[in-house]
Amino acid sequence: MIAFARRGLVMLMALGVMLAVPTPGTPPPVAQSDNLKYAAIVIDAESGEVLFARHATAPRYPASITKVMTLYLVFDALEQGKIKLDDRIIVSARAASQPPSKLGLAAGQSITVDDAIRSLAVRSANDMAVALAEHVSGSEARFTSLMTLKAQDLGMTDSRFVTANGLPDSRQLSSARDLALLSRAVMRDFPQYYHYFGQQHWYYNGRQYNNTNGLLHQGRGVDGIKTGFTNASGYNLAASSVRDGRRLITVVLGGRSSATRNAHVAELMSTGFEVERLRAQGQLIPVAQTFFEQRGYGISSESSSVQYASITSVAPPTEGTGSDSEPNVVEYASLPSPAPTPAPTMVQASPAQPYAATASTASLNRGNALNGDTLTSLLNGGEARAAERRPTRAAAATAAGGRWSVQVGAFKDEAVARNWLTEVARRFRGHFETAESRVQTASGWYRSRFTGLSEDAARAACGALAERRVTCMVIQPD
């Protein structure tokens, strides 16, 4: 009897061991749940080319990256003259009741629009996100409806917003691709306000607040844009960096900690810039995704043992509390086997948005690259057509005999100057159809100019811009 009991106990123990050990080739349950939160994308900010994508269109919780869309609508209200930077916002009881991270103003206290913007960009203040939403639209509900409509307008087809601050709500979803589109849109449409996202420190009421984006403090050209965290989302980051005149946008969602998320973003960014550098040197890299995969990024669990930042561990702090320094390490294992990959794609946007290659309607990881002529046409709101079917703007300007110019801005970043030039051309297409768009360099500044205009055309165009609160200057011939 005792021997029988012992045999039964041994069998039970063996069965327990078999159940505890994962089957070879099947990721353990923790790894499977971890991968459900991970997503990433790297794009060229100027061309919109997707250099790398992994789960880029899968639904994810944006957390506080939501505040980029909140600020997009605030910047739009500023540009339209609906609000001003020195307006004072009276904090409502609802705004004051938001959980951390927050600025902590009591109901009835006031803050300027400028300081409220900085509190979102630097501190990720949930209370001020609601206060700004109420100031712009009267209520957060009305404001978030506008957020969703704007997302659709920008081509963010995976996104829906129901809170202005990104606090947990199962209805609020986005994707890595959509957040890259949003990041690109805010620097394109409002270059005069983009500097808010790059502010490392902010002083308010005698206290210094440090930006939650740790990469800003490490240099390497990073100048924005926003972090995010909830238990459901994991550690998120949309970042942008400029090196050697090229700007990349990288979005990573579902990191295990701020430290590993930052490290992963930095690695993806560096790999993207390596692609750009090698291409500039003449090396043929038609599909950047392949280049990333050869370095161990973006390989499915079915074909390799590469694993991304797992979201297990201890309960993390609340969003934006400044605890961005957990010492965790993301490990990557095994090199991928070579596999055929699709042609490079462009981040898509709605036809009204000129900065994305709307001609490509394939999925994010499929499609064909656009040639330069087609892309230029699309960036300016036209349809793709052969270059020989239409004269260039320079030829049209020469034929018109105009030598006057209109300057619409001067910037320290060439990419920003070009993006702003294209945006003005889109908004005021009727005034600049025959003009040539040029970015001219002088004393470290990049001047956005439309050239080849007659005096009357230049003055009329500048007058139209001034009516819409767009700064401009008429430049007479030398």
Side-chain angles (χ1 to χ4, degrees), residues 67 70-71 74-75 78 83-91 95 101-103 105 109-136 164 196-197 199 202-204 209 226:
K67 296 182 176 84
T70 300
L71 290 177
V74 170
F75 297 155
L78 285 167
I83 62 175
K84 297 179 180 178
L85 287 173
D86 57 1
D87 283 352
R88 296 204 70 85
I89 303 172
I90 306 299
V91 179
S101 81
K102 60 194 297 182
L103 199 56
L105 296 186
Q109 288 187 294
S110 67
I111 185 172
T112 64
V113 168
D114 179 69
D115 277 329
I117 291 172
R118 295 178 193 277
S119 75
L120 264 66
V122 177
R123 172 64 173 164
S124 196
N126 294 324
D127 50 353
M128 294 300 102
V130 173
L132 277 167
E134 293 173 341
H135 185 68
V136 171
Y196 282 111
F197 296 104
Q199 187 173 353
W202 173 55
Y203 298 89
Y204 182 74
Y209 296 94
K226 191 72 190 72

Side-chain angles (χ1 to χ4, degrees), residues 37 61 63 166 168 228-235 254-255 311-319:
K37 294 185 179 182
Y61 296 118
F229 171 81
T230 65
N231 285 321
S233 71
Y235 286 84
I311 311 160
T312 57
S313 67
V314 228
T318 53
E319 157 79 45

Side-chain angles (χ1 to χ4, degrees), residues 12 47 102 328 374 440:
L12 287 172
S47 69
K102 60 194 297 182
N328 294 298
T374 301
Q440 299 177 345

Side-chain angles (χ1 to χ4, degrees), residues 293-297 299-300 303-307 331-337:
E293 290 180 356
Q294 288 171 348
R295 281 150 181 75
Y297 302 109
I299 308 303
S300 65
S303 60
S304 91
S305 59
V306 174
Q307 301 224 344
E331 295 185 358
Y332 302 93
S334 114
L335 287 175
S337 56

